[in-house]
Amino acid sequence: MNKTIKICAVLLGMLFPVIIFISAIEVAVFDKAFYTDQMAKNQVIKNTGIYPPDMDLVVDEMISYLKGDRQDFDIKARLAPENAKNVVDRVAIFNDKEITHMDDVRNLLLFFLGLRDAAMILALISFLMLLKDHQQAIIKALFYGSTIFIVLFLVIGASFVFNFNDTFILFHQLFFTNDLWIMDPSTDRLIWIVPEPFFFAMISRMVIYILVPLGLTTLASGLVLFKNKEKKKMHKTKMHEL
């Protein structure tokens, strides 16, 4: 196996799980049904005072903003502080700190999505380079890349499960250069719209979206490698008998 083929195999093995990982984040973050379900479970309407009929619009605008389809996070909605008969005209429901933080969140998310797209191009090129004469290298790349990433991801996932708060804080410290992500429940509605249970549920979904395809890839590629190894053993045995 020449140097170019080795590089292509390594790239494919590294990039495939990265593509799955970022794609899983995209699916989880842009799933409106998940947001709606979490709004009900976490009593968001009651905690934020947002007029119930407007909550669906708020979710749409939040997702639209994260996708890059909406220019700003200055989302407006009606409030019903006491009951549905006492409705306040549409007002900005997020303050400047929340808006600036969500700018950072969107920029980070769009960066990763762009990184994923670049990874897909490189992975496709590597795959095509190996496809004709080096199919075994493709299988090995997918097997070892998926297996290593699963181990790393399980370690990170375990830290979220057993020490969610500290891991959550560390994540924000690593990816954000300011402390705007530290929310005050008395002034910031965002923390009521996406509270800790929301993030825990979303991370749980991401884990499933990541581990299922990578697990299936590891299993399928592992079986192929095992069968090829057994065929080689049988061939060597026959040659030895001759």
Side-chain angles (χ1 to χ4, degrees), residues 115-165:
L115 185 66
R116 188 272 312 272
D117 293 343
M120 290 177 68
I121 294 172
L122 285 176
L124 179 60
I125 293 172
S126 298
F127 177 81
L128 293 175
M129 291 283 289
L130 298 169
L131 184 59
K132 184 178 180 181
D133 300 313
H134 302 278
Q135 293 92 343
Q136 184 75 355
I138 294 175
I139 302 300
K140 286 184 177 180
L142 294 177
F143 175 77
Y144 289 109
S146 297
T147 302
I148 292 171
F149 192 88
I150 285 175
V151 173
L152 291 174
F153 189 74
L154 286 176
V155 171
I156 297 173
S159 67
F160 271 102
V161 171
F162 295 107
N163 195 352
F164 182 86
N165 286 334

Side-chain angles (χ1 to χ4, degrees), residues 60-91:
D60 283 338
E61 294 300 324
M62 288 177 65
I63 295 176
S64 177
Y65 174 77
L66 291 173
K67 286 182 176 180
D69 296 333
R70 177 188 168 97
Q71 291 187 347
D72 60 66
F73 199 66
D74 186 18
I75 300 171
K76 293 180 172 58
R78 291 171 292 180
L79 302 179
E82 297 176 5
N83 53 60
K85 295 180 180 179
N86 184 19
V87 179
V88 178
D89 289 337
R90 291 186 183 276
V91 297

Side-chain angles (χ1 to χ4, degrees), residues 35-82:
Y35 281 79
T36 302
D37 178 64
Q38 287 297 306
M39 298 299 153
K41 288 181 177 179
N42 297 318
Q43 298 183 327
V44 170
I45 291 175
K46 176 182 177 181
N47 293 329
T48 61
I50 294 174
Y51 188 43
D54 285 7
M55 197 67 239
D56 190 64
L57 175 63
V58 171
V59 172
D60 283 338
E61 294 300 324
M62 288 177 65
I63 295 176
S64 177
Y65 174 77
L66 291 173
K67 286 182 176 180
D69 296 333
R70 177 188 168 97
Q71 291 187 347
D72 60 66
F73 199 66
D74 186 18
I75 300 171
K76 293 180 172 58
R78 291 171 292 180
L79 302 179
E82 297 176 5

Side-chain angles (χ1 to χ4, degrees), residues 168-185:
F168 190 73
I169 290 171
L170 178 60
F171 166 81
H172 281 81
Q173 290 175 336
L174 288 174
F175 288 100
F176 298 104
T177 58
N178 52 54
D179 62 357
L180 297 177
W181 54 272
I182 301 176
M183 298 289 167
D184 183 349

